[in-house]
Amino acid sequence: MTAKPRKAFSDINSGHWQSMVDTLAPEFTYVFYGEHALSGERHTVESMSLWWQRVFRLIPDAEFEPQEIIVSGGPWLTKVATRVRIGGPLPDGSRYDNVMTQFMYLKWGRITEIHTLEDTVVLQRALDRIAASGNAEAHAEPITDAPARADRTA
């Protein structure tokens, strides 16, 4: 039962984050806790795609290594909990190394909710180093649905 989440992380490590976006249900919620450039709540494929693009602009060689995956329930409602190590080189020569936990809900194989929590102190220090190297996006406002929704109503 853990093969699909492991494959998703493998795809992301290969630069194919779109496969994760493709598994989102028509109505979903993605929350990344904290107050930083990667935090926020998203409900649209557009905002999720923009978010993944930002992740790899900030940490281009980020690698996600699943440490533990727990799956419960049937296909009508599957609950997945993960503990994942995240690492990658930073522009100043140091290395980003953190742990993330996620709680996911799927209905019939489509993701309806993801709640992500990472050590925000470690993440903020990495974002500060990235910003100090000249990448101002590391201190940008979170990507949310507000711009995408505003574009549709204009």
Side-chain angles (χ1 to χ4, degrees):
M1 291 182 83
T2 64
K4 285 185 180 184
R6 287 188 189 283
K7 168 103 171 65
F9 285 113
S10 176
D11 287 348
I12 292 166
N13 287 338
S14 299
H16 302 294
W17 50 262
Q18 185 63 45
S19 63
M20 176 272 171
V21 173
D22 291 343
T23 63
L24 295 168
E27 293 185 18
F28 69 90
T29 298
Y30 182 96
V31 178
F32 193 122
Y33 294 98
E35 294 180 17
H36 48 78
L38 297 177
S39 68
E41 185 170 322
R42 287 159 285 283
H43 302 273
T44 66
V45 168
E46 296 88 354
S47 61
M48 282 305 304
S49 295
L50 291 171
W51 183 84
W52 276 112
Q53 291 166 22
R54 175 178 281 177
V55 167
F56 285 102
R57 281 193 301 272
L58 295 175
I59 309 174
D61 297 316
E63 292 185 13
F64 298 79
E65 181 186 342
Q67 302 289 300
E68 186 172 11
I69 298 174
I70 301 168
V71 179
S72 156
W76 53 90
L77 179 58
T78 309
K79 298 175 186 176
V80 180
T82 66
R83 181 172 43 89
V84 179
R85 292 201 72 74
I86 302 168
L90 297 175
D92 66 359
S94 65
R95 180 164 177 81
Y96 180 56
D97 186 30
N98 207 344
V99 176
M100 166 185 80
T101 58
Q102 285 188 318
F103 295 93
M104 295 177 257
Y105 298 88
L106 295 87
K107 289 184 182 176
W108 300 109
R110 305 293 302 261
I111 298 170
T112 58
E113 287 184 54
I114 301 177
H115 298 268
T116 302
L117 181 59
E118 201 166 316
D119 185 327
T120 56
V121 171
V122 173
L123 177 56
Q124 189 61 58
R125 286 181 186 149
L127 292 171
D128 290 345
R129 287 182 169 149
I130 294 166
S133 76
N135 186 341
E137 188 173 18
H139 285 164
E141 289 296 314
I143 294 170
T144 63
D145 299 329
R149 289 186 177 151
D151 290 346
R152 281 197 291 267
T153 59

